[in-house]
Structures are given as C-alpha cells and as structure tokens.
Amino acid sequence: DANSARRVFDFVRFEHRCCNFLRYEIVLEPKVGPISLTLRGDAEATRGMKELLDAAHAARSRKAKE
C-alpha cells in the first residue's frame, strides 16, 4: 500500500545519507503486489552488509530465546 511504499522510501533516503556508496533499488510490483528493496555495493560493502545482518539476526535469535 502507499503507506508501506512511503516507509521504504523514507528508510532509503535516511540510509543514503550515511551509506551513499550503496545502490538502493525499490521495486513496486503491479496492483497491490509486494515491495522489494535490494541493496548493492562493491565487495567490501557487501561483506559489511552481511556482517551487519548476521549480527542483527543473532541478536534477534538470542532475544527470542529469553
């Protein structure tokens, strides 16, 4: 919906301020289809994103076990 699309766009605008070395791709599927966000970067940026996402996933898993 429009609210979700706006939230994704606002997130990308905010993140782009500090991470302007990344490429942000937002895809809005036809009708009321899903919204996709893809982040792309060079090898160093990709490693950094993977480490960040792995750490967030580990923290979420620990919290779920509490």
Side-chain angles (χ1 to χ4, degrees), residues 18-50:
C18 71
C19 302
N20 61 4
F21 51 88
L22 294 174
R23 177 185 176 126
Y24 299 83
E25 300 171 2
I26 301 171
V27 176
L28 304 170
E29 295 296 337
K31 303 192 185 207
V32 189
I35 299 170
S36 301
L37 171 61
T38 303
L39 304 176
R40 297 186 190 277
D42 62 17
E44 184 178 347
T46 301
R47 276 192 304 277
M49 285 189 292
K50 183 178 180 335

Side-chain angles (χ1 to χ4, degrees), residues 58-66:
R60 177 182 269 169
S61 294
R62 282 192 305 273
K63 190 172 185 174
K65 291 178 182 179
E66 294 176 355

